[in-house]
Amino acid sequence: MKGFDFEEERIKQEITKLGAKRVLLQLPEGLKPEGLRLAKIIEKNGALPIISGDPCYGACDIAVNEAESLDVDLIVHFGHSKLLMHERVPTIYVEARATVPVDKAVEQALPLLSRHVKIGLATSVQHLEVLNQVREILVRNGKTVIIGDSGQMSYPGQVSGCNYSNVKSIADEVDAFLFVGGGLFHALGVALSTSKPTVIADPYDNRAFSIDDEAQKIIKQRWASIEEARSAKTFGVVIGLKPGQKRVDEALKIKNLAQKHGDAAYLLAAKEINPETLLEFPSVDAYVNTACPRISLDASGKFSKPVLTINEFMVAIGEASWENMLKKGLFES
Amino acid sequence: MKGFDFEEERIKQEITKLGAKRVLLQLPEGLKPEGLRLAKIIEKNGALPIISGDPCYGACDIAVNEAESLDVDLIVHFGHSKLLMHERVPTIYVEARATVPVDKAVEQALPLLSRHVKIGLATSVQHLEVLNQVREILVRNGKTVIIGDSGQMSYPGQVSGCNYSNVKSIADEVDAFLFVGGGLFHALGVALSTSKPTVIADPYDNRAFSIDDEAQKIIKQRWASIEEARSAKTFGVVIGLKPGQKRVDEALKIKNLAQKHGDAAYLLAAKEINPETLLEFPSVDAYVNTACPRISLDASGKFSKPVLTINEFMVAIGEASWENMLKKGLFES
């Protein structure tokens, strides 16, 4: 796969340094086809490679249990930066930095930012190398550029699927955000967590566009889900089993709150939270998802019942206001 | 859910005996809707119930990792009999014995067994209580009845999704098998592992029918998959991550064998092995599945590449004969 840096030399050095005999490769869906080529490199280096086949959407989903179960002495996790403070199995993160040029896409974005002066800049881990280059293009075109650093992420300006603290930290200071990277996913997160006009500069398609209509559509869906959940009598409170998604104490609090409000509430634990999983419990009226908030926000059309985030549940039972939640941003904080 | 014994009193006694504070309920798909009712009983008994939402197809899939991750002190596993010799978390098996009468379905089966005298009797764990009653009906109608006991299962006459040792142990002595229970799944397993005429007596639909055409269809599909895999140059060897499906040493043997035959072979590990998972590796020509053999046998039409069992791989590379494999039965032994 061209256009990404898989840091093969670093991987080989780490294997040698650790004397690793058995290595688990974990790649997100878009990069999985590289698994075989990378496994071959590892095998030539004298270690046994095993490729994790299960879905992987973030560093929250690090395959520690799988590694322990397979007696693996090194995990190589691709495509995400470190999220957990500590892993029980030695782990290296290969962030798969992209080498695709971004200048054309950013130039396409300029007309869409014409009414705005102060621009917040954000990107996924893949494009961090080019942030300064993008800043220069914007400055040359008369913009003031701010790159947020909340201290919670590995790098300034970086956003992940669920952590928008860097853009939130500067939302009050900017007129709009420019997100550099492919796909709608991260840019939607920027818009949903800041309520600011957000433009994508997509270097893979060499085009730029506003994500604001898409974000508005999701906000309307979330409102409809909250409204539907207000009449729920039985809640399913979902605990995620992925290492960085497990929030048992939060789930317990929600269960108690629902019961305090006179509703029934049941704890459900699952690794993969999908429509099929939730269909198995027909007597549940609405779910509260304490795992990955993107499951609620991005996939709501796929579920037949409301699947609220923790914040949305607080609105549904009247413990928080919709307006305040929107102001805080749709992601837990 | 009427018609099954969920042994609520035993569950309550075990919770009290163990002083369990947090209980994980694990139910197969068909029984999951009972989860909320059972959780309520457990909560009334003073323990915190958590329902496992992930798919569960057998006692091979016991949620031990999940239980440890959730600090659970008791697993209650429904619908299957004990499979693993030892679990790391205290576990009770509630076999969910069925209370549905079977005599009418068995009477429907008699005409289909008219040409056979010696009948092997088999059932899933749900219907073990009625085996003697079924035996009596058959004997009254002039049949000789044999119930196999390989010593490998919890009960004589019992078959599970992947263990047909009880029917294999008597296959040479009988003319045909009668399977008592719902669905095609277990009866297909009886036919595929013994190559004997097999009739289902389904007490839920009160009807009986032969499974032989369906078994022949699967055998033809398996042959076609093996033929297709003969020209494979790159094999994916799949390791199952469910506790009772993990066979790393077998996978390593297959990888080495494939390489000895001049093919490339890569180890892939997954909890859920489905078409989406395998689609992520387009350069693999054929898979060898060391996890649940039913994934290969029952779902072959869903996969775009051959997904062979271990035995089938041995046929594909010429280390075993098709005829011998059919004679041994399509399940690993």
Side-chain angles (χ1 to χ4, degrees):
Chain A
M1 194 173 288
K2 283 183 184 169
F4 292 100
D5 180 3
F6 289 96
E7 301 185 54
E8 291 85 347
E9 283 309 313
R10 177 160 77 102
I11 297 170
K12 286 198 268 184
Q13 283 164 16
E14 288 284 342
I15 290 172
T16 307
K17 200 175 84 188
L18 287 167
K21 296 273 169 263
R22 201 175 273 196
V23 176
L24 187 65
L25 300 176
Q26 192 181 24
L27 303 115
E29 304 317 275
L31 302 180
K32 273 207 174 70
E34 282 298 289
L36 270 58
R37 184 181 68 78
L38 295 162
K40 202 184 282 176
I41 292 169
I42 285 166
E43 190 154 9
K44 275 193 188 151
N45 217 47
L48 178 75
I50 304 177
I51 303 163
S52 170
D54 286 319
C56 171
Y57 303 108
C60 55
D61 192 7
I62 191 88
V64 179
N65 287 330
E66 294 82 341
E68 287 183 333
S69 161
L70 294 165
D71 289 329
V72 155
D73 33 32
L74 175 66
I75 299 173
V76 186
H77 183 98
F78 292 86
H80 308 111
S81 60
K82 188 177 170 75
L83 178 82
L84 301 183
M85 284 296 149
H86 166 73
E87 304 90 2
R88 295 194 310 268
V89 175
T91 302
I92 60 174
Y93 292 85
V94 175
E95 295 169 351
R97 297 295 176 97
T99 53
V100 61
V102 300
D103 46 342
K104 280 187 189 160
V106 173
E107 275 156 26
Q108 302 269 331
L110 289 171
L112 300 168
L113 296 168
S114 60
R115 294 184 337 196
H116 308 299
V117 177
K118 293 183 189 160
I119 310 296
L121 203 49
T123 186
S124 63
V125 71
Q126 273 72 47
H127 302 281
L128 284 165
E129 318 273 9
V130 298
L131 268 197
N132 272 329
Q133 187 197 336
V134 176
R135 183 212 298 261
E136 280 166 27
I137 298 174
L138 292 175
V139 168
R140 265 205 312 276
N141 285 274
K143 308 293 183 192
T144 303
V145 175
I146 308 179
I147 296 177
D149 188 0
S150 65
Q152 291 177 32
M153 299 295 286
S154 299
Y155 308 94
Q158 182 194 5
V159 296
S160 73
C162 63
N163 192 325
Y164 294 88
S165 56
N166 278 344
V167 288
K168 282 167 78 170
S169 72
I170 54 169
D172 289 341
E173 306 167 48
V174 303
D175 305 321
F177 280 99
L178 176 64
F179 173 82
V180 179
L184 305 187
F185 182 74
H186 291 102
L188 261 177
V190 172
L192 292 173
S193 56
T194 65
S195 296
K196 287 280 175 177
T198 302
V199 170
I200 307 183
D202 179 338
Y204 302 100
D205 285 349
N206 268 330
R207 67 185 190 116
F209 52 97
S210 159
I211 197 72
D212 301 340
D213 288 351
E214 203 62 36
Q216 280 306 315
K217 204 189 290 175
I218 288 183
I219 287 171
K220 280 181 194 162
Q221 283 169 344
R222 301 322 302 151
W223 173 251
S225 283
I226 292 169
E227 280 296 292
E228 193 182 340
R230 284 192 208 276
S231 55
K233 290 280 155 231
T234 301
F235 284 95
V237 184
V238 183
I239 301 167
L241 289 170
K242 299 189 177 187
Q245 297 187 5
K246 197 177 65 176
R247 292 196 280 179
V248 178
D249 290 343
E250 294 285 329
L252 282 170
K253 272 185 217 160
I254 288 164
K255 181 176 184 289
N256 291 337
L257 259 176
Q259 286 171 333
K260 218 180 87 185
H261 277 72
D263 298 320
Y266 298 91
L267 298 178
L268 306 170
K271 188 161 184 245
E272 300 296 334
I273 300 158
N274 53 42
E276 294 72 37
T277 300
L278 302 191
L279 270 178
E280 296 289 336
F281 304 100
S283 52
V284 170
D285 301 317
Y287 291 91
V288 187
N289 159 29
T290 67
C292 169
R294 301 305 295 247
I295 296 166
S296 295
L297 302 180
D298 297 57
S300 80
K302 292 187 193 160
F303 292 100
S304 59
K305 305 268 176 74
V307 182
L308 305 185
T309 63
I310 294 173
N311 289 343
E312 291 169 344
F313 171 75
M314 300 304 280
V315 176
I317 60 165
E319 298 271 344
S321 84
W322 168 253
E323 291 73 21
N324 267 344
M325 186 186 68
L326 281 190
K327 213 165 137 189
K328 270 172 57 189
L330 288 187
F331 295 85
E332 276 78 11
S333 58
Chain B
M1 194 173 288
K2 281 183 185 169
F4 292 98
D5 180 2
F6 289 94
E7 301 185 55
E8 290 85 348
E9 282 309 314
R10 177 161 75 100
I11 297 170
K12 288 198 266 184
Q13 282 164 17
E14 289 285 340
I15 290 172
T16 307
K17 200 175 83 188
L18 287 167
K21 296 271 169 264
R22 199 175 275 198
V23 176
L24 186 65
L25 300 175
Q26 191 181 27
L27 303 113
E29 304 316 278
L31 301 180
K32 272 206 174 69
E34 282 299 289
L36 270 57
R37 184 181 66 79
L38 295 161
K40 201 182 285 177
I41 292 170
I42 285 167
E43 190 154 8
K44 275 195 189 148
N45 217 47
L48 177 74
I50 304 177
I51 303 163
S52 170
D54 286 317
C56 171
Y57 302 109
C60 54
D61 193 6
I62 191 89
V64 180
N65 287 329
E66 293 83 341
E68 287 183 335
S69 161
L70 294 165
D71 288 329
V72 153
D73 35 29
L74 174 66
I75 299 172
V76 187
H77 182 99
F78 292 85
H80 307 112
S81 59
K82 188 179 171 72
L83 178 80
L84 301 182
M85 283 297 150
H86 167 72
E87 305 90 3
R88 295 194 310 266
V89 175
T91 302
I92 61 174
Y93 293 85
V94 175
E95 294 169 350
R97 297 297 176 97
T99 51
V100 59
V102 300
D103 46 340
K104 278 187 191 159
V106 172
E107 275 156 27
Q108 302 269 331
L110 289 169
L112 299 169
L113 296 167
S114 62
R115 294 185 337 194
H116 308 298
V117 178
K118 292 181 187 162
I119 309 297
L121 203 50
T123 187
S124 62
V125 71
Q126 272 73 45
H127 301 280
L128 284 164
E129 317 272 9
V130 298
L131 269 197
N132 272 329
Q133 187 197 337
V134 177
R135 184 211 297 262
E136 278 166 28
I137 299 174
L138 293 175
V139 168
R140 267 206 310 276
N141 285 273
K143 308 293 184 191
T144 303
V145 174
I146 308 180
I147 295 176
D149 188 0
S150 66
Q152 291 177 32
M153 299 295 286
S154 298
Y155 308 95
Q158 182 195 5
V159 296
S160 72
C162 62
N163 193 327
Y164 294 89
S165 57
N166 278 343
V167 289
K168 282 167 79 169
S169 73
I170 55 167
D172 288 342
E173 306 168 48
V174 304
D175 305 322
F177 280 100
L178 177 65
F179 173 82
V180 179
L184 305 187
F185 181 75
H186 290 102
L188 260 178
V190 172
L192 292 173
S193 56
T194 65
S195 297
K196 287 282 177 175
T198 302
V199 170
I200 306 183
D202 179 340
Y204 302 100
D205 284 348
N206 268 331
R207 69 185 189 116
F209 53 99
S210 161
I211 197 72
D212 299 340
D213 289 350
E214 202 62 37
Q216 280 306 312
K217 203 190 290 176
I218 287 183
I219 287 170
K220 280 181 194 161
Q221 283 168 341
R222 301 321 302 150
W223 173 251
S225 283
I226 292 170
E227 281 295 291
E228 193 183 339
R230 283 190 207 278
S231 55
K233 290 283 156 224
T234 301
F235 284 94
V237 184
V238 184
I239 301 168
L241 288 171
K242 299 189 176 186
Q245 296 186 6
K246 195 177 65 173
R247 291 195 282 177
V248 179
D249 290 343
E250 294 284 330
L252 282 170
K253 272 186 216 160
I254 287 163
K255 181 176 184 290
N256 291 336
L257 259 176
Q259 288 172 331
K260 218 180 86 187
H261 276 75
D263 298 319
Y266 297 91
L267 298 178
L268 306 170
K271 189 162 184 243
E272 299 297 334
I273 300 159
N274 52 42
E276 293 71 38
T277 299
L278 302 191
L279 270 178
E280 296 289 337
F281 304 98
S283 52
V284 169
D285 301 315
Y287 290 91
V288 188
N289 158 29
T290 67
C292 169
R294 300 307 295 249
I295 296 166
S296 294
L297 302 179
D298 296 58
S300 79
K302 290 187 195 160
F303 292 99
S304 59
K305 306 268 176 77
V307 183
L308 306 185
T309 63
I310 295 174
N311 289 343
E312 291 169 342
F313 171 74
M314 300 304 279
V315 175
I317 58 164
E319 298 269 345
S321 84
W322 168 254
E323 292 73 22
N324 266 345
M325 186 187 68
L326 281 190
K327 215 165 134 186
K328 271 171 59 188
L330 288 188
F331 295 86
E332 276 76 7
S333 60

